[in-house]
Amino acid sequence: SQQGEEDPQALSIQEGENATMNCSYKTSINNLQWYRQNSGRGLVHLILIRSNEREKHSGRLRVTLDTSKKSSSLLITASRAADTASYFCAYGETSGSRLTFGEGTQLTVNP
Amino acid sequence: EAGVTQSPTHLIKTRGQQATLRCSPISGHTSVYWYQQALGLGLQFLLWYDEGEERNRGNFPPRFSGRQFPNYSSELNVNALELEDSALYLCASSLAGYREETQYFGPGTRLLVL
């Protein structure tokens, strides 16, 4: 399968703790994006990192990309109950603009 | 600015029928993408339209088809519905797709095939 892999599949933490999710992929990419999905609704775009970037920040989010290992991580700092959702990585391959999604990590932040 | 809109929000059909799903992209976006999110199968790329033409197609049978209109809105048609077509269908839009722009997603249409 060309689908990306994410781990862990599920993560449960307390409010205030940090959450780290990892994503691995198999092909060459132009960019990697992270999305959030609440309860089977639409996807909300969080952050995009390009293949020539190594780290990017947006508010409480920090994304890293290691193209030599074909992996990325998403760190959410000082988590809140409202961060409870499924998080997906998605990457655009060099051969087109379709996104290939990872399997997702279900994050639960307990108040 | 309005986001990506999809209609209907829910759709119930029976096996063998046809389903039509609609998507309106963000104003100024010319690329529209369709994805299927079925239980246990994750998010799968279906179709990509840009400037009225089909640019790329995922690994789905021909009974999944669509089109993009001059105003860049799009329609996804699923013919001869099968039970396994039950899924959340997500539409996304972006600026010119060839520049790997961020894709913005709509709320989805949940299709149930009985």
Side-chain angles (χ1 to χ4, degrees):
Chain A
S1 166
Q2 291 299 308
Q3 214 167 4
E5 296 179 2
E6 289 186 59
D7 77 272
Q9 284 190 331
L11 181 61
S12 182
I13 58 174
Q14 296 298 123
E15 257 190 333
E17 294 181 338
N18 296 340
T20 300
M21 289 158 265
N22 303 295
C23 168
S24 61
Y25 55 92
K26 300 177 182 177
T27 65
S28 297
I29 63 171
N30 274 326
N31 65 76
L32 189 140
Q33 306 180 41
W34 285 88
Y35 288 85
R36 186 182 77 197
Q37 185 178 39
N38 290 78
S39 301
R41 299 177 193 167
L43 295 165
V44 174
H45 183 261
L46 295 175
I47 196 165
L48 179 152
I49 185 167
R50 300 196 182 279
S51 58
N52 61 353
E53 297 176 308
R54 291 296 167 258
E55 188 170 313
K56 206 161 183 180
H57 297 254
S58 176
R60 295 184 294 113
L61 306 179
R62 173 178 168 252
V63 168
T64 61
L65 179 64
D66 186 336
T67 53
S68 66
K69 295 180 180 177
K70 290 186 165 53
S71 68
S72 174
S73 67
L74 170 68
L75 168 68
I76 303 174
T77 60
S79 63
R80 305 166 183 168
D83 295 330
T84 295
S86 293
Y87 291 81
F88 294 88
C89 67
Y91 52 89
E93 299 174 34
T94 53
S95 58
S97 271
R98 58 190 288 176
L99 287 178
T100 301
F101 281 83
E103 297 161 343
T105 294
Q106 172 61 50
L107 173 66
T108 302
V109 182
N110 301 299
Chain B
E1 181 184 288
V4 177
T5 59
Q6 291 186 246
S7 64
T9 53
H10 292 82
L11 192 55
I12 301 175
K13 294 284 186 178
T14 56
R15 283 177 60 189
Q17 285 188 314
Q18 179 196 40
T20 298
L21 288 63
R22 296 179 177 84
C23 171
S24 291
I26 291 172
S27 177
H29 286 188
T30 61
S31 275
V32 170
Y33 310 82
W34 288 95
Y35 294 86
Q36 182 198 64
Q37 188 176 27
L39 214 58
L41 294 178
L43 277 147
Q44 305 284 335
F45 168 76
L46 260 168
L47 289 160
W48 168 30
Y49 292 96
D50 185 68
E51 296 285 358
E53 293 192 19
E54 182 179 304
R55 301 293 185 183
N56 203 346
R57 182 182 182 86
N59 189 25
F60 282 84
R63 51 191 194 81
F64 286 84
S65 65
R67 53 181 172 165
Q68 186 178 34
F69 300 98
N71 66 354
Y72 302 114
S73 67
S74 177
E75 213 172 70
L76 173 69
N77 295 294
V78 188
N79 294 320
L81 284 165
E82 300 178 1
L83 296 178
E84 52 264 35
D85 296 333
S86 294
L88 180 67
Y89 288 84
L90 293 165
C91 171
S93 75
S94 75
L95 295 170
Y98 289 110
R99 291 188 282 124
E100 301 97 36
E101 294 289 340
T102 298
Q103 294 185 18
Y104 296 90
F105 283 78
T109 292
R110 192 165 293 280
L111 173 64
L112 177 61
V113 182
L114 303 175

